Amino acid sequence: KTKDSLLFDVGFNTCNLSAFEKLLAEDLEFYHDKGGLTESKKAFVESFKNGMCKSPNFKSRRELVAGSLEVYPLFDNGILYGALQKGVHRFFESANGQAETQGSTAKFTHLWLKEESQWTIKRVLSYDHQMIPIKNNSEEITVSKTILSNYTGSYQAQQTGTVHISLGDKGLIMKAN
């Protein structure tokens, strides 16, 4: 799950190509049900760089569907050498500063290999891309301002630096860089 987070939350969601590159095997094979086959790390990074990361006016974000991630270890004579990871993720897009809209939802399977204590992705299957509306099953609750005030203050966040939480009329307000 940590490597998944590095791959998507750090790499994909922010177009941090160096984060991607550290996690991909040189002979990566990426099978996509809509975009076809990509047969190397170099080709994958280039397509990403010249595709969705090319324009600063376009943003794509991937979100792992809660509870969908499954990981299965792979052993050779009792020694861990890899893992199969599968799950469901959904994508969101925004362009020219507009509000984010929902993109597709898809299934994925990754083959991770451990070589010299380093984990890399060797094979990727990305399939069953569909436009599925997100159902909001949440319900609104009311929390007293006394309880909310316990969470106000300034916090340090690894990605954004200092985050300030204050009390507003309808709840907490977060301000970050």
Side-chain angles (χ1 to χ4, degrees):
K1 189 172 183 179
T2 300
K3 295 295 183 189
D4 179 84
S5 177
L6 287 173
L7 182 69
F8 286 102
D9 294 343
V10 176
F12 185 91
N13 290 350
T14 65
C15 284
N16 181 339
L17 298 178
S18 65
F20 256 152
E21 291 180 280
K22 291 176 187 174
L23 296 171
L24 303 176
E26 292 298 326
D27 61 345
L28 171 78
E29 288 181 1
F30 182 86
Y31 298 86
H32 194 283
D33 64 342
K34 305 292 183 193
L37 171 62
T38 304
E39 297 187 73
S40 71
K41 170 182 175 175
K42 181 179 179 183
F44 179 79
V45 172
E46 281 299 311
S47 70
F48 199 74
K49 179 180 171 183
N50 295 318
M52 65 172 270
C53 292
K54 188 173 185 174
S55 172
N57 297 323
F58 177 80
K59 301 282 184 216
S60 187
R61 181 176 66 83
R62 179 264 197 178
E63 179 180 279
L64 180 66
V65 173
S68 73
L69 187 65
E70 298 177 36
V71 179
Y72 302 92
L74 301 172
F75 294 96
D76 184 10
N77 292 319
I79 298 172
L80 179 68
Y81 73 91
L84 285 175
Q85 171 194 22
K86 70 177 198 167
V88 178
H89 49 198
R90 62 178 58 110
F91 298 91
F92 300 87
E93 301 166 352
S94 63
N96 301 315
Q98 297 295 313
E100 187 175 74
T101 59
Q102 181 183 342
S104 64
T105 297
K107 296 174 183 167
F108 66 93
T109 302
H110 296 163
L111 171 62
W112 290 85
L113 294 182
K114 184 179 180 186
E115 297 170 345
E116 299 178 19
S117 75
Q118 190 76 352
W119 287 93
T120 58
I121 297 178
K122 183 120 172 138
R123 302 292 180 261
V124 175
L125 303 173
S126 184
Y127 53 97
D128 196 28
H129 286 79
Q130 299 180 35
M131 296 302 290
I132 301 172
I134 297 173
K135 295 177 185 172
N136 184 354
N137 295 329
S138 61
E139 64 181 77
E140 189 172 312
I141 61 168
T142 303
V143 179
S144 74
K145 287 191 175 196
T146 304
I147 292 173
L148 290 177
S149 67
N150 291 317
Y151 300 99
T152 61
S154 296
Y155 302 90
Q156 287 299 312
Q158 184 177 355
Q159 296 282 327
T160 59
T162 304
V163 176
H164 303 283
I165 307 289
S166 61
L167 195 56
D169 291 337
K170 296 184 178 183
L172 295 174
I173 299 170
M174 178 178 78
K175 291 184 182 177
N177 296 335

